[in-house]
Amino acid sequence: QVELVESGGGLVQAGGSLRLSCAASGPIDVYAMAWFRQAPGKEREFVASILSNEGLTDYEDSLKGRFTISRDNAKRTMYLEMNRLKPEDTATYYCAAGFRFVTTPNSYPYWGQGTQVTVSS
């Protein structure tokens, strides 16, 4: 079992950047890790995921080129670099850890509490 804590959210103007971090309470080497987001009134949606050994990544198609996921197993931390942010990126961003490299939130057993990202126009 692992506990996850997100940080780095905040208010940013459209076109700006943010870097989110997800710190784990224990080793993350064995986990596939992912970022999801949820806007008010909407379902939680997949943002990006990353495997450990190969560094294999997956992104929601519309976010490719703007968002970059990475991880540092030694620091037990995952990151999400978000560039050229848009108002529609406004949401609570969650990190998750699991044993399958998938895009469905129900497949991830471990979740952080979320960090709010607000992009103003």
Side-chain angles (χ1 to χ4, degrees):
Q1 188 170 349
V2 64
E3 295 182 357
L4 305 172
V5 179
E6 303 93 337
S7 62
L11 175 64
V12 63
Q13 288 188 334
S17 299
L18 281 175
R19 188 193 196 203
L20 305 183
S21 298
C22 172
S25 61
I28 60 172
D29 312 56
V30 299
Y31 297 111
M33 300 193 71
W35 288 98
F36 291 81
R37 67 185 183 182
Q38 188 167 18
K42 296 188 177 181
E43 293 186 353
R44 192 166 298 190
E45 64 176 2
F46 172 75
V47 172
S49 60
I50 184 167
L51 269 180
S52 181
N53 294 335
E54 302 86 359
L56 185 65
T57 59
D58 188 21
Y59 293 91
E60 200 283 323
D61 286 345
S62 66
L63 302 178
K64 290 179 181 178
R66 293 197 300 122
F67 288 17
T68 303
I69 190 172
S70 62
R71 62 192 290 167
D72 185 333
N73 289 343
K75 294 183 177 179
R76 301 175 178 180
T77 303
M78 177 178 65
Y79 305 96
L80 184 69
E81 184 77 31
M82 305 185 294
N83 297 312
R84 302 192 303 279
L85 282 162
K86 305 175 181 180
E88 51 263 43
D89 294 318
T90 296
T92 301
Y93 284 71
Y94 298 90
C95 67
F99 302 100
R100 299 176 62 197
F101 185 57
V102 294
T103 64
T104 51
N106 289 343
S107 297
Y108 290 85
Y110 307 118
W111 290 84
Q113 83 290 346
T115 186
Q116 178 66 38
V117 171
T118 303
V119 184
S120 63
S121 58

